[in-house]
Amino acid sequence: MSFKPFFAILACALACFFTAGPAFAQGSIGGGVYSSGGNGLTATGGGLLLGTGASIPVIPVSVGLTGFAPLAKGGGYAVTLDGTFAAGAGNAIGAGYGFGQFGSAHSGGTLTAFLDHRVAPLTTLELRGYHTTAVGGGTAGLLALKFSL
């Protein structure tokens, strides 16, 4: 299995994260546990989540770019463009679309949906699900503690 696409996408996500300008005002980093599967291969372990985003003035919505890299053999990756809607009381819901691959399944378009709950200032608990839309695609779930930078 070649890790070249994974490292290329991770490098792009890190470049976007660390070179963020006015369009990407808020960054975040998180880690947690994940489980993924695809094409008969499953993996469980730790996951790393990097993100950058910007709020849209007047309405409680933000858009961002998120990169996810499971830290286990056979884990996979995903890079998605996300939209987040503030749901009040420190909660937010969101969805996104990008590119990813999980397990030994085919890579391709990837859908994500997530729920954030604020547990402390600048700290949220995030539950995120991924599903690749390619024939024979894979899925992944991530429960992470995320810190805003």
Side-chain angles (χ1 to χ4, degrees):
M1 176 162 114
S2 173
F3 286 99
K4 288 180 184 178
F6 164 74
F7 288 117
I9 290 172
L10 183 60
C12 290
L14 288 172
C16 289
F17 183 74
F18 288 112
T19 62
F24 298 112
Q26 181 184 2
S28 62
I29 186 167
V33 295
Y34 85 97
S35 181
S36 67
N39 204 21
L41 179 65
T42 61
T44 302
L48 179 64
L49 185 68
L50 295 172
T52 185
S55 294
I56 298 174
V58 184
I59 56 176
V61 174
S62 65
V63 294
L65 178 67
T66 302
F68 167 60
L71 306 174
K73 184 177 181 178
Y77 62 88
V79 176
T80 59
L81 182 62
D82 305 325
T84 306
F85 178 75
N91 296 315
I93 57 172
Y97 187 78
F99 187 80
Q101 187 251 341
F102 300 104
S104 61
H106 297 259
S107 60
T110 302
L111 297 166
T112 185
F114 53 93
L115 172 65
D116 280 352
H117 176 70
R118 183 174 44 208
V119 294
L122 304 176
T123 307
T124 60
L125 187 62
E126 182 165 301
L127 178 61
R128 188 176 276 258
Y130 295 91
H131 177 70
T132 53
T133 59
V135 173
T139 59
L142 172 71
L143 178 61
L145 191 59
K146 186 171 77 170
F147 303 96
S148 296
L149 305 175

